[in-house]
Amino acid sequence: MKKNIILLGPPGAGKGTVGSKLSELWGLLLISSGDLLREHLKKGTDSGIRAKKYMDRGELVPDDIVVAMVAKEMSKPLCARGVIMDGFPRTLSQAAMLDRIFDSEDEVRVIYLEADDDFLVNRLSLRRVCDSCGKIYHLVNLPPKREGLCDLCGGKLVQRDDDREEIIRRRLEVYRKLTAPLIEYYRDKEILSVVPGNGRLEDTINEIKKIVKW
Ligand code: AMP
């Protein structure tokens, strides 16, 4: 029986940071659809090139591109114990697809990280990511030890193109319209728990550990 976590929440609620901590803690593979797309973009694959114009505008990438990437990742042996999903599903149709991939006996818990827009805009505009390993920093709350450089690999810290305020606002609109309906979808299945996304990482993780007792 696999143990799976779906991290749901608006951009900037901490899905990536929380996801990598939980992945370390529980030894489950973290699958970030945004990271998969950015990897494809970096490598210049056809899917990456097709996805770019949507990502630059803060829109969702068409399902066929994202679903193929996620399904491939989920078929890897590393997922044998389960996965932590960050940023997928983002639409009801992606959720239906994921339901078909999970086995009926698999455990699935959804953690909805909740935070308000002003908090999210602030967090995202001060976010920096390592260009080589993807580790996430915040200029005020989680700064690197050496300015501009990743603590883990020494890579260069950059601002994502879509972390500019006008694109952040669009991403939040898209979230509200297309992704927020998933809250009710998973609440109806009685697998959703709500956790504040604006607290300290340590507190968020402790809260999740209280809810998911693995
Ligand atoms: P993220 O890193 O999760 O903030 O995602 C960055 C961007 O990648 C989003 O604004 C979308 O353009 C795209 N993206 C990531 N995950 C998905 C998904 N599940 N469905 C469609 N587009 C996605």
Side-chain angles (χ1 to χ4, degrees), residues 11 51-61 90 161-162 166-175 178:
K52 184 177 175 359
K53 62 172 185 288
Y54 301 96
M55 296 171 78
D56 284 350
R57 292 199 301 250
E59 309 282 340
L60 292 190
V61 171
R90 254 181 164 93
D161 288 341
D162 59 352
E166 70 278 17
I167 308 291
I168 295 172
R169 299 267 175 209
R170 179 67 193 135
R171 287 161 66 201
L172 289 170
E173 269 172 37
V174 169
Y175 167 79
L178 297 171

Side-chain angles (χ1 to χ4, degrees), residues 11-12 15 32-35 37-38 51-52 54-63 66-67 70 86-91 94 124 127 160 162-163 167 171 174:
K15 300 184 298 296
S32 156
S33 46
D35 282 351
L37 285 160
R38 281 183 289 275
K52 184 177 175 359
Y54 301 96
M55 296 171 78
D56 284 350
R57 292 199 301 250
E59 309 282 340
L60 292 190
V61 171
D63 278 355
V66 187
V67 165
V70 171
D86 157 19
F88 189 94
R90 254 181 164 93
T91 60
Q94 291 180 8
L124 287 174
R127 174 163 79 176
R160 273 171 46 175
D162 59 352
D163 278 348
I167 308 291
R171 287 161 66 201
V174 169

Side-chain angles (χ1 to χ4, degrees), residues 8-19:
L8 188 63
K15 300 184 298 296
T17 310
V18 168

Side-chain angles (χ1 to χ4, degrees), residues 8-200:
L8 188 63
K15 300 184 298 296
T17 310
V18 168
S20 57
K21 195 77 204 167
L22 293 177
S23 156
E24 232 173 70
L25 208 66
W26 288 328
L28 301 175
L29 186 74
L30 177 67
I31 298 184
S32 156
S33 46
D35 282 351
L36 290 174
L37 285 160
R38 281 183 289 275
E39 270 166 39
H40 275 259
L41 201 58
K42 234 179 177 173
K43 286 190 201 141
T45 67
D46 287 349
S47 305
I49 292 164
R50 263 185 74 204
K52 184 177 175 359
K53 62 172 185 288
Y54 301 96
M55 296 171 78
D56 284 350
R57 292 199 301 250
E59 309 282 340
L60 292 190
V61 171
D63 278 355
D64 65 314
I65 301 180
V66 187
V67 165
M69 284 178 193
V70 171
K72 184 169 173 215
E73 204 62 15
M74 288 184 78
S75 67
K76 291 185 174 170
L78 278 174
C79 297
R81 298 183 53 232
V83 290
I84 295 175
M85 304 295 297
D86 157 19
F88 189 94
R90 254 181 164 93
T91 60
L92 287 166
S93 69
Q94 291 180 8
M97 170 265 169
L98 194 58
D99 286 347
R100 290 194 293 274
I101 292 189
F102 288 140
D103 285 332
S104 53
E105 70 269 22
D106 285 355
E107 253 188 83
V108 182
R109 301 298 301 265
V110 181
I111 303 292
Y112 166 37
L113 295 170
E114 196 179 38
D116 67 53
D117 281 12
D118 287 343
F119 173 86
L120 296 166
V121 173
N122 171 282
R123 184 186 262 173
L124 287 174
S125 47
L126 293 174
R127 174 163 79 176
R128 297 294 180 272
V129 291
C130 173
D131 202 17
S132 4
C133 74
K135 184 170 163 53
I136 302 165
Y137 295 86
H138 183 277
L139 291 183
V140 178
N141 302 334
L142 197 65
K145 293 197 180 81
R146 288 172 301 161
E147 200 186 320
L149 297 176
C150 177
D151 295 348
L152 296 183
C153 73
K156 199 171 125 209
L157 301 190
V158 295
Q159 181 170 35
R160 273 171 46 175
D161 288 341
D162 59 352
D163 278 348
R164 283 174 292 124
E165 182 156 351
E166 70 278 17
I167 308 291
I168 295 172
R169 299 267 175 209
R170 179 67 193 135
R171 287 161 66 201
L172 289 170
E173 269 172 37
V174 169
Y175 167 79
R176 236 172 273 118
K177 192 165 157 225
L178 297 171
T179 309
L182 293 177
I183 299 166
E184 284 314 307
Y185 179 81
Y186 288 122
R187 191 171 271 144
D188 286 349
K189 287 178 178 279
E190 300 183 354
I191 56 173
L192 182 103
S193 305
V194 185
V195 171
N198 56 1
R200 288 173 34 217

